[in-house]
Amino acid sequence: METSEPVIKEIDLSFLNEVENESQIKVSACFQCRKCSNGCPMTFAMDYHPYQVVRFVNLGLKERLIDSKTIWLCSSCHTCVTRCPNEIDIPKLMDYLKGKVSTGAGQAAEKNVELFHREFLKSVKAHGRVFEGGLMRGYMIRSGQMWQPRKVMDNALLGLKMFKKGRLKLTPTRIKGLNKVQKMFQRHWQ
Ligand code: SF4
Ligand code: SF4
């Protein structure tokens, strides 16, 4: 894991303002106590700790954030939020940053995670909730895994297990307030 701090040449506050205005997360409240990172179960796989991601936003280090694996590896478990003395919503910040990359800010460091993220959002936009069967089909085709027999078999077995437990539907179902969800997508993702 990379933990080195960047050399700061110039602080760009415009990015911090943009993030705070658009996401409504008070990122500037962070005083770098690192409690968030000490409880995060995903730091073993991340290139930067969550407190560093928050720091990069404060310093306007956009390129570091765009190139970072961390934003794609956050599991949204919310442990950091419960530990943060300033209640900074780091998973929401990670999602916001994912959205920035997905909508053209740069190349995702974890391409398959980004692809999964896109397919997930596409499914929620279409049905108001995730249709796992459609999500996995889209992901497998677009990631090229549909032509890897081992991957297909693993996913088919997993799907069968979920189906037996009633966790997988064969057809999508739409929620009642679908138009509200779609309007939200129009506001934030297009
Ligand atoms: S716990 Fe909160 S205040 Fe402390 S470093 Fe993390 S985000 Fe900043
Ligand atoms: S929400 Fe993300 S950053 Fe926060 S503790 Fe969980 S995995 Fe780590």
Side-chain angles (χ1 to χ4, degrees):
M1 180 198 309
E2 186 177 336
T3 55
S4 64
E5 296 292 347
V7 177
I8 313 300
K9 293 185 187 135
E10 198 177 325
I11 297 176
D12 173 12
L13 287 179
S14 63
F15 184 61
L16 170 65
N17 293 336
E18 183 184 323
V19 173
E20 289 200 330
N21 286 338
E22 289 181 1
S23 70
Q24 297 296 301
I25 305 164
K26 193 77 183 141
V27 188
S28 54
C30 174
F31 45 48
Q32 291 288 286
C33 67
R34 305 187 184 189
K35 280 193 172 190
C36 50
S37 302
N38 292 342
C40 173
M42 292 304 293
T43 51
F44 73 94
M46 292 171 168
D47 48 2
Y48 296 111
H49 284 272
Y51 80 88
Q52 290 179 297
V53 168
V54 177
R55 184 82 173 137
F56 293 165
V57 174
N58 273 293
L59 296 175
L61 297 174
K62 254 187 274 185
E63 302 309 319
R64 288 250 170 174
L65 293 163
I66 290 168
D67 292 343
S68 166
K69 291 181 178 184
T70 296
I71 61 172
W72 301 104
L73 298 178
C74 167
S75 61
S76 292
C77 67
H78 281 71
T79 306
C80 52
V81 188
T82 58
R83 290 175 65 94
C84 176
N86 297 315
E87 296 177 358
I88 297 172
D89 195 336
I90 296 180
K92 188 176 170 193
L93 177 63
M94 302 282 194
D95 270 346
Y96 170 83
L97 295 169
K98 280 178 206 160
K100 278 262 174 214
V101 178
S102 290
T103 50
Q107 286 275 328
E110 293 284 332
K111 288 196 178 61
N112 278 353
V113 183
E114 194 225 0
L115 181 59
F116 192 89
H117 180 72
R118 274 176 188 272
E119 292 297 318
F120 183 94
L121 291 178
K122 211 191 286 176
S123 185
V124 174
K125 187 179 170 190
H127 314 296
R129 61 162 62 118
V130 173
F131 168 46
E132 290 86 355
L135 163 67
M136 282 314 290
R137 190 175 56 243
Y139 172 72
M140 296 281 290
I141 290 171
R142 287 178 184 84
S143 65
Q145 292 183 27
M146 194 59 116
W147 294 274
Q148 297 175 31
R150 185 60 199 257
K151 293 268 184 197
V152 174
M153 184 57 76
D154 287 348
N155 280 311
L157 290 173
L158 180 64
L160 189 62
K161 265 191 206 165
M162 287 172 69
F163 180 71
K164 280 183 181 164
K165 290 187 176 177
R167 309 292 302 170
L168 186 69
K169 300 254 183 312
L170 292 178
T171 52
T173 48
R174 290 184 174 183
I175 63 163
K176 268 187 191 164
L178 180 60
N179 60 335
K180 287 185 189 157
V181 174
Q182 291 177 336
K183 275 185 191 153
M184 194 177 73
F185 271 90
Q186 273 164 11
R187 266 203 315 275
H188 296 286
W189 298 95
Q190 284 173 358

